[in-house]
Every structure is written in structure tokens, then in C-alpha cells.
Amino acid sequence: MFQIISGKVAVNMIKDGASICIGGNLNLLEPETILYELEQSYKEKGSPSKLTVMFPVFLGSMEGRGIDYFAHEGFVKRLIGGSFASMLPNRKMNDLIFNNKVEAYNIPMGTFYNLLKNTGAGQPGLFTGVGLHTQADPHYNGGKLNEITKEDLVERKELDGQQWLYYKRLNVDVAIIRGTSVDEKGNISLEDEPTSQGIFATALAAKANGGIVIVQVRRKIKSGSVHPRLVMVPGRLVDYVVFDERDEDKISRHPKSVLGDIRQPVELKEVLPLDQRKVILRRIALELRKNNLVNLGFGIPANLPSVAVEEGILDNLVFSIEHGPIGGVPGWTGVFGVAMNPDLVLDSTSTFDLYAAGMLDVTCLGMGEVDKDGNVNNHKFKNIIAGTGGFNDIVYATPKIILAGTFSAGGLKTSIVDGKLVINQEGKYKKFNTSIEGITLNAAAARQKGQQIMYITERAVFVLGNQGVKLIETAPGIDVQSDIIEKLDFEIEIASDLKQMDERIFRPEPMGMRFSE
């Protein structure tokens, strides 16, 4: 039978050297009270210490919160994450990783969820092709993020003449998750939450390992007062329940249209300005077809729904985010990971199963850096650790992959004058290089699978050709030699029928997009 205890008492249940797995995504389902009390306990007593901290998705959207609660030397021995902090304010833990103060691994997000499922089901691990020939592959670096990280958590094995990655089971001593309510039987429901973030798989992995499950909730309710389909974790899996002690309810409320209780009219209150980002978004939109199921990644692609609304094509597309929502308008409330007016919301584990089955038509993802062969690095740079997130899982079986990003980074300034793109200031950092720091997308493997790869920037469109990156379009006003070729440190193939990007992209009025029947 579960016990209701305070956050301070709950963290006393966690021993030195324990392996904990935390559910949530940024501040969605973030068990803030428990994480805060863990840090307070370590600062006051030095315990628990030397933890292994696991998280399929990075936690924390405010300075010092989420995973950064653990950013103290000695508090954590090892991190195993699906994604990390790619930008401020949550960068303290990244500093420990770069300075070799903590072991750190990056496992693809969807693979992480499937590994939790298999661990909970008593399986020895997970066989998958996701991550093969990328940074997750032990023939590259096996997901290790720094020099002190030595143990192999993944192996490459051959089955029936085919190469696979074998991810070893996770030993979870403590699951820390969050829900909306706990009823009298200990059942955890999510009536006020927009996603479920694999909390059932996380809890089951702990119990299958003989561990404990600690759940933070907003309130206690009478059994049967919530629809049974909103109950996500059965009471048999729950050991301890902690009520929200830090007024998280005030900052984690979600509109009814995000929760699926009502459908709100989609009104474009502000048209995106015609800048380099909108140029990229419009060019992406021209690649979409009626009724496409389209996955959107973080960064520039996240604003694609705004272009769809402006062009009047939203009802002809189905957007999907790996955190669960399918349909509706992702990111409309300013929170990446949720959608207004979703048609359905799957658990993250099921969303990645859908992607692995090849059900996506297109994915639009951010683009970090690209090498001459067309390989992409999105997970780790000189001073940034973003992690692969769901990237590896999303691209694994998707036939069309669109990578979106500016041609250079770090101060790029452009303007659009009379329908032409003008480069006012080039960025300090090249994004197309002879070599890159690591491989998140392996171009040769994608080519072998017959996948179509596009690299869309504000000044040019490239595709993956037979030999590497191939230039197929340029923006009006761009000089191929001075604005593209001379900015590269490798030779590039140029299409014999090199085209100009659609001039409608560079005009202030809507493009007038229509899908043919």
C-alpha cells in the first residue's frame, strides 16, 4: 500500500549510489518538489551521493531547475540522458560533463523509452537498428559524451546476417515521476496534464528491478472520480506519493484546448516577420503534400504551423510531435511538446513505435552542422551538448527528411529587399564543413535505405546526392560563387539544372499555397 509523505521524507528513501530514472520533459510532468528536496538533502547532508541519474528527456526550463538540481560535484556519478540542455539557462550540468566531473551517456530518446519498456517486461535489453552508424554505435563512440566515460552500455551484434545495436537493460532503483492526482488505491491519473511522457514504463522498470516508485501529484481524489482512461499508473506500482509543495500548479496549468477538453478556434494573431527563418519555413512548406503526417523538431521547424495557418493549409496536414500529440497545432501556446486541438495524444512510447513503423511521411528537424558527405551532427558541439533527443528514432524509417537551419551561425544578418535576399553580415561559424564533430545522421545509411534528404537554408537548398551534398536551388539575389561556393571549404556538386527558389517565398504577402486533389 502506498504512503503519502513529504518531499523531504521521500528523498531519504534514496540511498547513496542509487540509480534513479526521472520522468518528464522540460517543465511538463516535472517532479519539481522531489528534485528540489534531493538537492537540499545533498547540500545539507551530502547524501544521497554518487547517483546514477537517468532521463529520457531533459528536465528543467528555468535556471537552476530540473537536471541542474544535480549539478554539484559528487552528487552524481553518472548521467544517462536522451537529450540535454542546448541553450541557457540550464547549462550547469553540461559544464560538469565537459570538465569530466561526471560520466555521461546519450541514448536516443525513443530507444530510451523502449529500453524502459523492455526492462519493465523483464527483457535483457533492446535490439534495434536505431542509432546504427551514428554516435550511439560503439563503432563510433557508443553515446559517450566525455573522456572519463568508459563502460559500454550498447553493443553491436549480428543476427540473421544483419547488424543491430543491443542496448543493455537499465537497472532502475528509484523511479521519480509526476501525475495530476492519486486516488484512494494509489492509482495515478493525468487529467490536468497534456502528455504522459512514458511514466508507466518508467515506474514498471523500477518495480521489475525491485526498486521503488515515488510520485509527485497535485491532489488526492476519491477512487472512480476520474475517467479510467486517464489513469496511467496503477496503484500496485506506487510506493510513495508526494504532494506539490512548491506551488507548481500555478505555473504548470494548460489550456483546455491542449488537454483535449475543447477545440479552440485557430486564429493567427501575429504573422511571422519575413526574415531568414520564415524563408526557411516557407521553403519547407512547399515540400509538403496533402494529408501528410509531418513530424516537427525543436528550433526553426517548430514554427511551421504558423506558416500553415497563414497559408490556409493547416486542415490539410497532420502534425506530430514525439512527445505524444498528433493533429492540431503544435506549439501554439508557446510550449514545445504540446498541441492545441490535438486529434489524439499517444504516450511517448507509442509515438516512437508509430515512427519506427514508418508511418511518418515527412520529418522536419533542426540542422546543426553538415559535412561534405551529407552527414549531420545535431548532438554535440564544442561548447554545447544537446543530445540526440528523438532525432535518431524519428529519421530511422521516415522516407523524407528535411533538415532546416541557416547557412552559417553566430551573428548571421540578412534582409529581404524587393524580393531578393541580401546577406548583411555572415555568421562567424560555418555549418557546412569538411568534417564534423560527430554523426547524428549517417548519410550513407540513409542513401542505402532510399531516404530523401534535404538541407534547407535561407540562401540555398541542398539534397543528398550520390557523392554527398548537392546544390539544387539558390535564393534570388544570391551569387552562387561568392555567397555559397567561397564560403565552403570543400567542393560541392551543383545540379545541372540549378534553379532559383520560388519567388513567392520572398514576398510579404501569403504564397497562396494550395494542395492538388
Side-chain angles (χ1 to χ4, degrees):
M1 186 66 179
F2 76 99
Q3 299 179 45
I4 295 175
I5 56 179
S6 69
K8 184 168 291 190
V9 172
V11 300
N12 289 332
M13 308 296 174
I14 302 174
K15 298 179 172 58
D16 291 350
S19 294
I20 67 175
C21 189
I22 308 169
N25 168 26
L26 297 176
N27 68 336
L28 297 174
L29 286 176
E30 178 186 12
E32 217 284 313
T33 290
I34 301 169
L35 302 188
Y36 169 80
E37 291 296 349
L38 268 169
E39 182 188 43
Q40 294 305 303
S41 177
Y42 181 75
K43 288 165 70 174
E44 294 169 10
K45 302 182 297 184
S47 180
S49 65
K50 297 181 175 59
L51 298 174
T52 292
V53 177
M54 298 177 276
F55 44 97
V57 192
F58 181 81
L59 284 149
S61 58
M62 299 181 186
E63 186 173 0
R65 287 183 36 155
I67 298 304
D68 273 0
Y69 277 131
F70 298 93
H72 304 280
E73 284 191 51
F75 194 2
V76 177
K77 175 187 177 183
R78 172 178 292 182
L79 291 171
I80 306 174
S83 61
F84 291 80
S86 60
M87 63 189 91
L88 294 173
N90 299 92
R91 294 281 289 277
K92 294 179 182 176
M93 186 58 82
N94 280 8
D95 291 340
L96 292 185
I97 297 172
F98 274 117
N99 291 312
N100 287 302
K101 301 296 184 182
V102 59
E103 297 175 14
Y105 297 84
N106 181 203
I107 294 177
M109 186 189 300
T111 300
F112 205 131
Y113 280 125
N114 280 319
L115 189 53
L116 285 170
K117 283 198 300 183
N118 280 17
T119 298
Q123 301 300 313
L126 172 70
F127 280 94
T128 178
V130 172
L132 199 65
H133 309 298
T134 75
Q135 67 87 32
D137 189 328
H139 285 207
Y140 291 74
N141 67 352
K144 302 180 183 75
L145 294 176
N146 59 18
E147 290 80 8
I148 66 167
T149 305
K150 302 295 186 182
E151 183 182 353
D152 290 327
L153 301 187
V154 58
E155 300 174 359
R156 190 192 279 202
K157 291 182 179 291
E158 183 175 315
L159 291 175
D160 297 329
Q162 186 173 344
Q163 293 292 315
W164 300 90
L165 294 186
Y166 168 63
Y167 294 84
K168 301 175 183 178
R169 66 175 282 124
L170 298 170
N171 295 316
V172 183
D173 298 317
V174 184
I176 301 176
I177 58 177
R178 201 190 92 189
T180 296
S181 306
V182 60
D183 71 11
E184 297 158 309
K185 299 177 181 178
N187 299 310
I188 305 299
S189 56
L190 298 183
E191 62 269 30
D192 290 348
E193 318 301 332
T195 59
S196 51
Q197 301 297 148
I199 60 172
F200 171 77
T202 305
L204 194 64
K207 298 304 288 185
N209 195 52
I212 61 173
V213 176
I214 305 174
V215 189
Q216 179 183 320
V217 297
R218 302 173 191 256
R219 56 183 171 262
K220 185 178 181 182
I221 58 174
K222 184 174 179 59
S223 296
S225 58
V226 170
H227 196 290
R229 288 180 182 157
L230 293 174
V231 178
M232 298 300 296
V233 181
R236 292 181 65 88
L237 300 184
V238 177
D239 296 291
Y240 303 103
V241 171
V242 174
F243 291 127
D244 170 23
E245 299 164 2
R246 292 175 54 76
D247 295 324
E248 287 302 296
D249 187 54
K250 295 179 180 178
I251 64 171
S252 59
R253 287 189 175 276
H254 304 280
K256 288 183 177 296
S257 59
V258 167
L259 298 176
D261 295 337
I262 63 170
R263 295 188 77 84
Q264 182 178 332
V266 180
E267 300 172 349
L268 190 63
K269 297 180 180 178
E270 186 176 354
V271 175
L272 291 175
L274 184 55
D275 57 13
Q276 59 200 30
R277 295 172 67 88
K278 188 170 185 177
V279 164
I280 295 170
L281 289 167
R282 282 180 157 183
R283 183 59 187 84
I284 293 172
L286 293 176
E287 289 297 316
L288 306 181
R289 299 294 177 262
K290 189 174 183 179
N291 297 324
N292 273 176
L293 177 58
V294 184
N295 165 264
L296 298 178
F298 189 69
I300 290 177
N303 281 319
L304 191 58
S306 291
V307 171
V309 172
E310 183 182 356
E311 294 294 334
I313 60 172
L314 179 67
D315 291 341
N316 299 125
L317 297 169
V318 182
F319 289 116
S320 171
I321 300 176
E322 62 263 35
H323 304 297
I326 296 179
V329 197
W332 204 250
T333 60
V335 179
F336 183 78
V338 304
M340 187 176 80
N341 302 342
D343 296 328
L344 68 155
V345 181
L346 299 174
D347 185 66
S348 300
T349 56
S350 297
T351 305
F352 282 110
D353 288 342
L354 184 77
Y355 295 172
M359 294 297 102
L360 284 173
D361 294 299
V362 185
T363 180
C364 307
L365 301 167
M367 179 177 66
E369 57 176 353
V370 182
D371 70 14
K372 61 183 179 62
D373 297 318
N375 299 311
V376 178
N377 172 27
N378 269 9
H379 66 276
K380 186 173 182 281
F381 308 94
K382 291 180 175 61
N383 61 345
I384 295 174
I385 299 175
T388 61
F391 189 104
N392 289 131
D393 309 273
I394 294 166
V395 303
Y396 180 66
T398 301
K400 188 168 187 174
I401 301 166
I402 299 175
L403 289 311
T406 53
F407 185 79
S408 62
L412 172 66
K413 294 180 181 179
T414 64
S415 57
I416 298 170
V417 181
D418 296 328
K420 296 182 178 180
L421 183 71
V422 179
I423 310 297
N424 303 118
Q425 177 180 294
E426 193 62 78
K428 292 185 294 184
Y429 307 111
K430 293 182 178 182
K431 298 183 76 171
F432 290 81
N433 300 290
T434 302
S435 61
I436 54 180
E437 192 168 338
I439 295 179
T440 322
L441 171 68
N442 188 295
R447 189 187 295 112
Q448 189 173 22
K449 288 189 283 186
Q451 293 172 302
Q452 181 184 357
I453 314 291
M454 299 186 73
Y455 314 84
I456 296 180
T457 75
E458 80 290 343
R459 72 186 72 178
V461 178
F462 307 88
V463 296
L464 178 63
N466 292 329
Q467 305 302 320
V469 177
K470 179 179 180 180
L471 176 65
I472 63 167
E473 291 180 20
T474 60
I478 289 298
D479 181 79
V480 175
Q481 184 63 33
S482 62
D483 294 324
I484 299 174
I485 302 300
E486 292 179 6
K487 306 296 183 185
L488 300 173
D489 55 5
F490 59 89
E491 291 186 5
I492 190 170
E493 182 183 0
I494 300 176
S496 58
D497 59 343
L498 182 65
K499 295 179 173 62
Q500 181 176 279
M501 292 167 68
D502 194 319
E503 63 180 14
R504 295 176 297 169
I505 294 172
F506 302 89
R507 298 293 181 184
E509 65 274 7
M511 294 188 294
M513 283 188 64
R514 294 293 180 269
F515 292 121
S516 59
E517 294 298 330

